[in-house]
Amino acid sequence: MSFFKKLFSSDKKETLDKGLEKSKTSFFQKLSKAVAGKSKVDDDVLDNLEEVLVTSDVGVDTTLKIIERIEERVERDKYLGTEELNKILREEIAALLSENNHGDATEFDIPADKKPYVIMVVGVNGVGKTTTIGKLAYQFNKAGKKVVLGAADTFRAAAIDQLQVWADRVGVSIVKQNMGSDPASVAFDTLQSAVSQNADVVIIDTAGRLHNKVNLMNELSKVKRVMQKVVGDAPHDVLLVLDGSTGQNAFEQAKQFTAATEVTSLAVTKLDGTAKGGVVIGISDQFKVPVKYIGVGEGIEDLQVFNKYEFVDSFFK
């Protein structure tokens, strides 16, 4: 199908294939059991397939959509053999994700008319938020962009120290204050510094607390308001980082953060160490927020721009 045109360089595609290996192996082992002894896609096979998709962390709502699409194919084509199920699944999942109207990028890029382009990064502690910021900074820096990081997760000293390590490693500027400082103050100073340096990209780390959604909402709203005193339309992107290895818990975090603040894009990390890669399919379908980046390895180059067709191609390869 035209869905699966080559978009990535071969080394990136190879990394994606390898990163999804555990998810793919687990999925196809379950799928083989689901169709064992069956030659035709019938109600039993569809019931088993539904269980396979749900237990692969695709999510109930997205699973039901996929099953409905396959039922329509069965009805239309009258006889579908189980040997065709892999191809049909691949086509229908790609078609479903293509309907979200989220354009797929192939490179780390920013709009030319936003300078500095301000990204505010949110997410609970432990999901790979600071690492994602570091890898993003690396990619933008490699592309010739001047990057400034803001250590506005002042709740944890470790978060400030970790971001400093990444800034040093990547070779970009960082603005920080002491632990316990006002996050909005750090964000304000970061944007002022970025403007004075004529920076291209600003990435602001924020505290990863979800124990009180009202407090989180108030804090993030304050950070936004203060940033807008320096850059009127900041932030240009509110990036929510989710840990793909937590499966359905990632859905729950997405629900809570999208309720607490206006999230405009998602990054799903740690897909290489888990069999729960199906969660990307569900999250991409369920939330009216595009998955922009995926983490498929520990290397500094292993944060990739998410392309739904490449992802499905690797998943079903």
Side-chain angles (χ1 to χ4, degrees):
M1 288 183 67
S2 60
F3 280 141
F4 302 107
K5 57 189 177 183
K6 189 170 183 60
L7 293 169
F8 283 2
S9 63
S10 58
D11 58 333
K12 284 186 177 179
K13 188 61 166 63
E14 190 177 321
T15 301
L16 182 60
D17 291 345
K18 185 179 176 184
L20 295 178
E21 190 65 41
K22 288 184 180 179
S23 295
K24 184 172 67 174
T25 300
S26 172
F27 180 81
F28 282 107
Q29 283 174 348
K30 292 175 184 176
L31 188 61
S32 295
K33 290 178 183 176
V35 300
K38 296 277 190 177
S39 61
K40 180 182 175 184
V41 178
D42 57 16
D43 288 345
D44 284 344
V45 169
L46 289 172
D47 285 345
N48 291 340
L49 176 59
E50 185 175 323
E51 185 178 344
V52 168
L53 290 167
V54 170
T55 58
S56 298
D57 290 282
V58 172
V60 174
D61 291 341
T62 302
T63 292
L64 293 176
K65 287 184 186 178
I66 294 167
I67 295 296
E68 189 176 306
R69 285 168 172 268
I70 294 175
E71 284 175 339
E72 288 171 2
R73 289 278 289 261
V74 171
E75 179 65 27
R76 185 174 71 238
D77 300 343
K78 297 306 177 190
Y79 184 94
L80 282 178
T82 52
E83 73 279 358
E84 299 173 83
L85 199 52
N86 180 3
K87 175 175 174 286
I88 294 165
L89 267 171
R90 170 176 158 158
E91 290 175 0
E92 293 304 333
I93 289 172
L96 178 68
L97 297 185
S98 73
E99 292 166 8
N100 292 341
N101 297 318
H102 301 144
D104 277 311
T106 56
E107 300 294 337
F108 291 85
D109 206 3
I110 54 172
D113 60 340
K114 307 286 185 186
K115 186 171 181 176
Y117 185 73
V118 182
I119 304 169
M120 185 170 82
V121 184
V122 301
V124 300
N125 297 330
V127 296
K129 185 160 53 78
T130 310
T131 300
T132 297
I133 291 170
K135 291 179 178 181
L136 268 179
Y138 167 78
Q139 291 290 352
F140 287 130
N141 189 50
K142 189 173 81 164
K145 307 294 184 186
K146 187 165 190 176
V147 183
V148 178
L149 303 183
D153 183 355
T154 58
F155 189 66
R156 295 183 307 130
I160 300 170
D161 294 342
Q162 190 184 2
L163 201 64
Q164 178 69 66
V165 169
W166 272 106
D168 293 342
R169 181 181 180 187
V170 175
V172 299
S173 299
I174 183 171
V175 175
K176 61 182 183 178
Q177 295 180 14
N178 294 329
M179 179 183 168
S181 300
D182 180 8
S185 172
V186 178
F188 182 84
D189 287 353
T190 304
L191 263 63
Q192 278 201 322
S193 176
V195 169
S196 69
Q197 294 181 54
N198 198 31
D200 299 293
V201 185
V202 178
I203 311 177
I204 304 285
D205 191 11
T206 63
R209 289 166 288 164
L210 253 186
H211 64 275
N212 186 321
K213 195 163 69 179
V214 174
N215 285 354
L216 176 72
M217 193 183 302
N218 290 342
E219 183 174 289
L220 295 178
S221 296
K222 182 182 176 185
V223 170
K224 284 184 183 180
R225 284 197 310 274
V226 169
M227 285 196 290
Q228 287 165 1
K229 292 179 180 179
V230 185
V231 177
D233 55 351
H236 304 110
D237 186 11
V238 179
L239 175 66
L240 171 60
V241 181
L242 301 167
D243 179 349
S245 70
T246 64
Q248 291 306 297
N249 194 35
F251 274 93
E252 190 55 38
Q253 288 175 23
K255 283 180 187 174
Q256 293 197 45
F257 269 98
T258 51
T261 190
E262 185 184 355
V263 174
T264 55
S265 65
L266 303 170
V268 185
T269 66
K270 307 183 186 181
L271 291 173
D272 56 305
T274 180
K276 298 177 182 289
V279 73
V280 176
I281 297 169
I283 286 174
S284 181
D285 171 56
Q286 287 299 304
F287 294 94
K288 304 306 176 190
V289 179
V291 176
K292 191 177 278 189
Y293 308 110
I294 53 173
V296 290
E298 295 182 4
I300 198 166
E301 298 260 6
D302 293 340
L303 181 73
Q304 294 191 354
V305 173
F306 176 65
N307 181 284
K308 60 180 78 78
Y309 306 125
E310 290 284 353
F311 182 89
V312 173
D313 185 56
S314 289
F315 200 87
F316 286 93
K317 191 172 181 179

